[in-house]
Amino acid sequence: MALIVQKYGGTSVGSVERIQAVAQRVSKAVQAGNSVVVVVSAMGKTTDGLVKLASQISTSPSRREMDMLLSTGEQVTIALLSMALQELGQPAISLTGAQVGIVTEAEHTRARILNIQTDRVERHLKDGRVVVVAGFQGVSSTADLEITTLGRGGSDTSAVALAAALKADACEIYTDVPGILTADPRIVPDAQLMTDITSDEMLELASLGAKVLHPRAVEIAKNYGVMLVVRSSWTDDPGTRVVSPIPQLRSLEGLEIAHPVDAVEFDTDQAKVALLRIPDRPGVAARLFGEIAVQDLDVDLIIQSIHEGNSNDIAFTVTKHSLNRAEAVAAAIAPALRGEATALDEAEVMVERQIAKVSIAGAGMIGRPGVAAQMFSTLAAAGINIQMISTSEVKVSCAIAAEDCDRAIAALCKVFSIASSPVRLDSVSPQVSDSSELPVRGAALDVNQARLAIRHVPDRPGMAAKIFQLLANHNVSVDMIIQSQRCRLINGMTTRDIAFTVAQMDATAAQKVLQEAAPELGCGEVTVDWAIAKVSIVGIGMVGRPGIAARMFEAIAHQQINIQMIATSEIKISCVVAETDGVKALQAVHAAFGLSGQEKIQIPA
């Protein structure tokens, strides 16, 4: 007999008829010999309606009272679903987050789960009942027993956390789409269903705006080895499995306050090639990396900085034995990129042979803006300058001088309390998927970001640390971070530009914080561009496969779309384009990697 946790979202329980249909599905699972815990959201648009009511009373309601109000939505659903199950002859009991033992931080509207006291749930399951739980909510660990809510993705988080605490055989997330799709079907109508996906790939897609699963839920599944299945509420199709690796043994205490960094990694088999002052026009990145792909060269990190005037910088890293060929390709293409044959300062090729990449990795970084800042601060305190930065949801990587690698590893292991030996990435074979597998699993578009640029940042250890610690102190999470490769002398001081993207709702606050700090930091102006879109591809199969970036850049260039910024991690490539070009870029990239299916996905109203 299996123990299954099922979660149904607001659409799935949006009416009496739909609640009755859910009851039928749950009852069927019990009849198949399973013990079932059901986590539900508020019905349909109930939460939106409650928020609207609050806004009619107060322009700035207290977060505590909002938790008291919003937590009532799920209580309606759990009572009705329990009644529906009982009408079918299936014993059931409804429990609020507090009654089920979900203990959280005392942080209203955005609490994280500390632990779950499962005794009551296990007792009801043993008695043959279906336990129907209110998602999105818990109770604080303080003596006051304050009702708290978990914020965005709260019901997903409740379900996966319960599955982890109960050691369930699976956690099934029921939604209005048939599973995880290769893109948002509302934008790409021929998006197709994936039968399975790794938790790392899902973390990246979830963080890029895929709304089927929240990154917090995937984080818990990855940390505790929970088998996640995303299925349609309307069919019996098997959906998509989100597969996690065998996890390290970890305590369920501090469940969502997990150690943010699990490993320190390093790679000393790295060399950097940079092209400075290349034309800011469509097709340049496609041409450069197309030639590199022809040479069958595997590129690791790629960054393209914000444009200055009418030019950009592009830098990338390769293995040391590939450096000579990569440099030759860059040198050969450089003359064609110059406006005039004599303009030797344009498309200048620079090579750095002695670099290393150090990384921190861990699913616990999600939603914790201070982790990257702490890495930068640690390197700065050790007197180590950062040459390149690459970020993803579960990893932050920095290119540094090779001679600084040992000191960097020691400092990072100490500050993040990593007791095990650091992982040497250049001593193990990269994970490569079956050659028959598509290297790219999904594509995503994020139009809810803004880009900030800080001009003329002094080029010395500690500047990135100061900037991003300031933002972390104001709870601003940063996504892409790009440090320009070219230097500029300002009043005798070497400076570089730094650009990064944040959620649009955080952009004004981030700009204000940095403008106020600019005189002390010695930086220039801080600008914001609101009209951007980020197009990304994700796939564990792109590791060790040359030409993936080139194909993405070519697909975008073919649509005459200019790429403004580029950033990569091992399994993700992201490009910033103009907001007006976002949908067209996503559709082009999706088609370029053969992700389109034969059937159009229908999303119920």
Side-chain angles (χ1 to χ4, degrees):
M1 183 173 70
L3 171 56
I4 299 172
V5 176
Q6 296 184 342
K7 179 262 176 178
Y8 295 89
T11 306
S12 302
V13 293
S15 66
V16 167
E17 294 75 20
R18 289 184 174 181
I19 288 174
Q20 290 170 328
V22 167
Q24 292 279 1
R25 185 185 289 274
V26 173
S27 178
K28 186 177 177 181
V30 176
Q31 290 167 14
N34 301 303
S35 295
V36 182
V37 175
V38 184
V39 176
V40 291
S41 300
M43 294 175 64
K45 301 293 184 182
T46 298
T47 301
D48 293 341
L50 294 172
V51 170
K52 186 175 180 180
L53 283 174
S55 68
Q56 293 171 357
I57 296 290
S58 171
T59 56
S60 56
S62 80
R63 297 196 327 193
R64 180 190 183 278
E65 300 310 327
M66 286 302 293
D67 276 358
M68 291 292 287
L69 177 65
L70 298 183
S71 63
T72 63
E74 282 72 21
Q75 292 181 48
V76 173
T77 315
I78 59 174
L80 292 175
L81 180 55
S82 293
M83 293 175 193
L85 284 163
Q86 291 161 9
E87 283 295 302
L88 296 174
Q90 171 58 54
I93 185 169
S94 61
L95 298 175
T96 66
Q99 289 172 321
V100 88
I102 297 177
V103 180
T104 75
E105 306 169 288
E107 185 74 43
H108 288 293
T109 73
R110 57 187 183 199
R112 286 181 177 266
I113 298 172
L114 297 175
N115 61 72
I116 300 179
Q117 298 159 0
T118 59
D119 295 355
R120 188 172 183 181
V121 176
E122 290 170 341
R123 186 171 70 250
H124 288 308
L125 290 173
K126 189 175 180 181
D127 290 341
R129 294 188 181 94
V130 170
V131 181
V132 184
V133 179
F136 179 66
Q137 61 182 255
V139 63
S140 72
S141 59
T142 63
D144 294 330
L145 298 179
E146 288 287 312
I147 290 176
T148 56
T149 62
L150 308 181
R152 288 184 59 234
S155 291
D156 286 354
T157 305
S158 299
V160 182
L162 271 167
L166 292 166
K167 296 181 172 57
D169 295 281
C171 180
E172 299 175 343
I173 306 292
Y174 287 89
T175 182
D176 53 5
V177 292
I180 309 298
L181 304 175
T182 53
D184 187 334
R186 290 165 297 189
I187 303 175
V188 184
D190 57 0
Q192 64 178 319
L193 178 69
M194 294 183 250
T195 57
D196 57 66
I197 186 172
T198 68
S199 56
D200 282 341
E201 290 170 324
M202 191 64 241
L203 273 170
E204 296 289 7
L205 285 173
S207 71
L208 294 168
K211 297 178 176 63
V212 178
L213 278 175
H214 194 274
R216 285 171 65 184
V218 185
E219 171 193 0
I220 297 170
K222 177 180 169 70
N223 282 340
Y224 292 94
V226 175
M227 171 61 75
L228 266 178
V229 185
V230 180
R231 303 180 63 182
S232 170
S233 298
W234 324 115
T235 72
D236 291 326
D237 295 339
T240 305
R241 293 184 312 133
V242 182
V243 183
S244 296
I246 298 173
Q248 301 176 17
L249 289 175
R250 62 173 77 220
S251 170
L252 286 163
E253 289 295 321
L255 193 148
E256 252 203 303
I257 315 295
H259 202 252
V261 175
D262 291 327
V264 172
E265 303 170 350
F266 70 101
D267 185 351
T268 53
D269 187 18
Q270 294 260 311
K272 181 178 73 174
V273 179
L275 277 84
L276 310 185
R277 295 177 294 278
I278 59 175
D280 180 38
R281 62 171 184 254
V284 171
R287 184 169 182 180
L288 170 61
F289 290 100
E291 291 294 332
I292 287 172
V294 167
Q295 295 296 319
D296 201 34
L297 296 176
D298 190 22
V299 175
D300 185 5
L301 301 180
I302 302 172
I303 63 166
Q304 176 179 304
S305 61
I306 52 172
H307 67 267
E308 184 174 341
N310 294 311
S311 66
N312 285 319
D313 302 337
I314 292 182
F316 59 94
T317 63
V318 294
T319 59
K320 288 179 178 175
H321 84 270
S322 302
L323 176 60
N324 289 340
R325 283 189 294 155
E327 182 182 8
V329 169
I333 201 173
L337 299 178
R338 293 172 185 145
E340 300 177 12
T342 56
L344 297 180
D345 62 328
E346 296 181 12
E348 177 187 359
V349 179
M350 294 183 63
V351 172
E352 177 60 60
R353 299 177 183 276
Q354 299 298 323
I355 69 166
K357 182 176 73 174
V358 292
S359 309
I360 55 172
M365 294 187 205
I366 297 170
R368 295 176 172 89
V371 177
Q374 190 173 11
M375 179 187 191
F376 303 152
S377 298
T378 302
L379 295 178
I384 297 169
N385 203 28
I386 299 170
Q387 299 184 22
M388 297 170 70
I389 297 169
S390 167
T391 58
S392 78
E393 276 298 295
V394 293
K395 182 176 286 191
V396 181
S397 299
C398 296
I400 61 175
E403 64 184 11
D404 294 331
C405 186
D406 288 346
R407 285 190 297 121
I409 293 166
L412 292 171
C413 284
K414 181 178 180 181
V415 78
F416 290 111
S417 302
I418 304 297
S420 57
S421 299
V423 180
R424 184 183 178 98
L425 294 177
D426 55 345
S427 66
V428 296
S429 299
Q431 180 184 359
V432 181
S433 62
D434 189 299
S435 59
S436 64
E437 293 275 335
L438 291 172
V440 173
R441 303 299 309 282
L445 173 67
D446 189 345
V447 294
N448 296 312
Q449 293 204 344
R451 179 182 61 208
L452 282 85
I454 315 171
R455 301 291 186 181
H456 310 148
V457 178
D459 185 32
R460 60 173 181 260
M463 293 309 300
K466 290 179 180 177
I467 289 168
F468 295 107
Q469 190 59 60
L470 266 175
L471 295 172
N473 292 344
H474 288 79
N475 206 33
V476 174
S477 290
V478 175
D479 183 17
M480 296 172 67
I481 301 173
I482 305 292
Q483 184 172 260
S484 70
Q485 294 302 295
R486 78 180 76 172
C487 296
R488 173 171 290 186
L489 279 176
I490 303 293
N491 298 324
M493 179 178 294
T494 304
T495 68
R496 298 180 190 269
D497 296 340
I498 293 179
F500 58 92
T501 59
V502 299
Q504 286 183 351
M505 62 181 181
D506 291 333
T508 300
Q511 183 183 31
K512 181 181 178 183
V513 167
L514 294 174
Q515 283 176 333
E516 291 174 351
E520 181 182 344
L521 295 171
C523 304
E525 66 174 335
V526 180
T527 61
V528 179
D529 184 351
W530 300 88
I532 66 166
K534 185 178 74 171
V535 180
S536 306
I537 56 173
V538 172
I540 208 161
M542 68 174 69
V543 177
R545 286 190 181 180
I548 304 301
R551 198 190 311 180
M552 180 183 189
F553 302 155
E554 176 61 36
I556 294 173
H558 189 68
Q559 299 296 319
Q560 293 300 303
I561 296 172
N562 195 32
I563 297 174
Q564 300 178 15
M565 291 170 65
I566 299 170
T568 65
S569 68
E570 281 86 346
I571 65 170
K572 178 180 73 174
I573 303 172
S574 295
C575 298
V576 169
V577 299
E579 184 179 25
T580 52
D581 292 328
V583 170
K584 188 163 59 171
L586 175 67
Q587 293 169 341
V589 167
H590 189 268
F593 287 99
L595 299 178
S596 302
Q598 297 299 316
E599 298 182 10
K600 291 188 176 181
I601 303 296
Q602 300 295 326
I603 301 179

